[in-house]
Amino acid sequence: MNNKVIFVLLISLVLLPLYASAAARLGGWIPITDIKDPHVVHIGEFAVSEYNKQTKSGLKFDSVVSGESQVVSGLNYRLVVVADDSETSKNYEAIVWEELKQRSMNLISFTPLLKNNRFF
Protein backbone atom coordinates (compact mmCIF):
# COMPACT_ATOMS: atom_id res chain seq x y z
CA MET A 1 0.00 0.00 0.00
CA ASN A 2 0.97 3.55 -0.64
CA ASN A 3 2.33 5.48 2.41
CA LYS A 4 -0.21 8.29 1.88
CA VAL A 5 -3.11 5.82 1.95
CA ILE A 6 -1.82 4.24 5.15
CA PHE A 7 -1.36 7.69 6.71
CA VAL A 8 -4.93 8.72 5.81
CA LEU A 9 -6.32 5.45 7.22
CA LEU A 10 -4.41 5.89 10.48
CA ILE A 11 -5.55 9.50 10.86
CA SER A 12 -9.13 8.42 10.16
CA LEU A 13 -8.93 5.73 12.83
CA VAL A 14 -7.74 8.31 15.36
CA LEU A 15 -10.11 11.16 14.44
CA LEU A 16 -13.36 9.20 13.97
CA PRO A 17 -13.77 8.24 17.66
CA LEU A 18 -12.92 11.82 18.67
CA TYR A 19 -15.59 13.16 16.33
CA ALA A 20 -18.17 10.70 17.66
CA SER A 21 -17.30 11.64 21.24
CA ALA A 22 -17.61 15.36 20.51
CA ALA A 23 -20.96 14.83 18.79
CA ALA A 24 -22.28 12.98 21.84
CA ARG A 25 -21.16 15.80 24.14
CA LEU A 26 -22.78 18.50 22.03
CA GLY A 27 -26.45 17.65 22.08
CA GLY A 28 -26.52 13.86 22.22
CA TRP A 29 -27.82 11.94 25.20
CA ILE A 30 -25.07 10.31 27.26
CA PRO A 31 -25.86 7.50 29.73
CA ILE A 32 -25.32 8.37 33.39
CA THR A 33 -23.03 5.68 34.72
CA ASP A 34 -23.40 6.46 38.44
CA ILE A 35 -27.13 6.80 39.17
CA LYS A 36 -26.36 6.85 42.89
CA ASP A 37 -24.30 10.04 42.52
CA PRO A 38 -25.71 12.51 45.09
CA HIS A 39 -26.31 15.15 42.41
CA VAL A 40 -28.28 12.73 40.23
CA VAL A 41 -30.32 11.62 43.26
CA HIS A 42 -30.94 15.29 44.12
CA ILE A 43 -32.28 15.90 40.60
CA GLY A 44 -34.60 12.88 40.93
CA GLU A 45 -35.85 14.17 44.30
CA PHE A 46 -36.36 17.63 42.78
CA ALA A 47 -38.40 16.15 39.91
CA VAL A 48 -40.79 14.34 42.27
CA SER A 49 -41.07 17.36 44.59
CA GLU A 50 -41.74 19.76 41.73
CA TYR A 51 -44.31 17.39 40.22
CA ASN A 52 -46.05 17.26 43.60
CA LYS A 53 -46.13 21.07 43.78
CA GLN A 54 -47.52 21.42 40.26
CA THR A 55 -50.18 18.73 40.57
CA LYS A 56 -50.85 18.71 44.32
CA SER A 57 -49.87 15.03 44.38
CA GLY A 58 -48.33 13.12 47.22
CA LEU A 59 -45.67 11.03 45.51
CA LYS A 60 -42.63 10.05 47.58
CA PHE A 61 -39.26 9.73 45.88
CA ASP A 62 -37.69 6.29 46.15
CA SER A 63 -34.73 6.05 43.76
CA VAL A 64 -33.24 6.76 40.34
CA VAL A 65 -33.26 3.62 38.19
CA SER A 66 -31.47 4.92 35.09
CA GLY A 67 -30.68 8.16 33.35
CA GLU A 68 -29.06 10.14 30.60
CA SER A 69 -27.75 13.67 30.36
CA GLN A 70 -27.55 16.07 27.44
CA VAL A 71 -25.41 19.17 27.10
CA VAL A 72 -27.46 22.17 25.99
CA SER A 73 -27.33 25.71 27.39
CA GLY A 74 -27.04 23.94 30.72
CA LEU A 75 -27.80 20.26 31.17
CA ASN A 76 -30.88 18.20 30.48
CA TYR A 77 -31.40 15.11 32.58
CA ARG A 78 -33.73 12.33 31.50
CA LEU A 79 -34.20 10.04 34.48
CA VAL A 80 -36.33 7.04 35.28
CA VAL A 81 -37.31 7.49 38.92
CA VAL A 82 -39.27 5.25 41.23
CA ALA A 83 -41.88 7.06 43.31
CA ASP A 84 -44.52 5.75 45.70
CA ASP A 85 -48.09 6.91 45.80
CA SER A 86 -50.23 5.79 48.73
CA GLU A 87 -50.63 2.30 47.23
CA THR A 88 -47.76 1.27 44.94
CA SER A 89 -44.36 2.12 43.54
CA LYS A 90 -44.25 3.21 39.91
CA ASN A 91 -41.62 4.23 37.39
CA TYR A 92 -41.74 7.74 35.95
CA GLU A 93 -39.72 9.46 33.27
CA ALA A 94 -38.58 12.86 34.50
CA ILE A 95 -36.87 15.43 32.31
CA VAL A 96 -35.16 18.23 34.22
CA TRP A 97 -33.23 21.16 32.80
CA GLU A 98 -30.43 22.47 34.99
CA GLU A 99 -29.16 25.97 34.30
CA LEU A 100 -25.61 25.91 35.63
CA LYS A 101 -24.82 29.63 35.97
CA GLN A 102 -27.98 30.39 37.92
CA ARG A 103 -27.87 27.06 39.76
CA SER A 104 -31.53 26.51 39.03
CA MET A 105 -33.58 23.57 37.81
CA ASN A 106 -36.84 23.34 35.89
CA LEU A 107 -39.05 20.29 35.55
CA ILE A 108 -39.76 19.87 31.83
CA SER A 109 -41.89 16.72 32.01
CA PHE A 110 -42.86 13.98 34.42
CA THR A 111 -44.77 11.03 32.98
CA PRO A 112 -45.62 7.55 34.25
CA LEU A 113 -44.00 4.68 32.40
CA LEU A 114 -45.85 1.53 31.51
CA LYS A 115 -44.69 -1.48 33.48
CA ASN A 116 -41.46 -2.94 32.06
CA ASN A 117 -41.23 -0.05 29.57
CA ARG A 118 -37.77 1.48 29.51
CA PHE A 119 -36.69 4.17 27.12
CA PHE A 120 -32.97 3.80 27.82
Side-chain angles (χ1 to χ4, degrees):
M1 262 190 174
N2 180 323
N3 283 343
K4 289 182 182 179
V5 172
I6 293 173
F7 179 74
V8 169
L9 286 173
L10 288 174
I11 293 296
S12 298
L13 289 173
V14 170
L15 294 180
L16 186 60
L18 293 174
Y19 174 77
S21 174
R25 279 185 262 128
L26 299 172
W29 289 97
I30 301 168
I32 296 172
T33 55
D34 183 8
I35 58 171
K36 296 190 184 300
D37 178 278
H39 187 67
V40 174
V41 172
H42 175 69
I43 292 167
E45 291 170 337
F46 167 81
V48 173
S49 173
E50 191 65 21
Y51 175 76
N52 285 338
K53 287 178 193 173
Q54 292 175 6
T55 63
K56 299 186 180 15
S57 298
L59 293 177
K60 293 185 177 154
F61 174 81
D62 184 330
S63 62
V64 176
V65 176
S66 62
E68 298 176 314
S69 63
Q70 178 186 45
V71 177
V72 290
S73 59
L75 287 170
N76 280 330
Y77 291 91
R78 183 166 55 189
L79 305 177
V80 173
V81 298
V82 177
D84 303 326
D85 61 16
S86 60
E87 298 174 10
T88 60
S89 293
K90 295 180 183 174
N91 289 353
Y92 297 86
E93 180 191 51
I95 299 178
V96 174
W97 177 66
E98 181 179 32
E99 203 283 318
L100 300 174
K101 290 182 183 178
Q102 300 294 324
R103 296 184 181 213
S104 65
M105 290 187 278
N106 292 309
L107 181 63
I108 304 301
S109 69
F110 193 89
T111 55
L113 294 176
L114 299 175
K115 198 168 192 153
N116 297 324
N117 184 10
R118 294 187 68 169
F119 291 123
F120 40 90

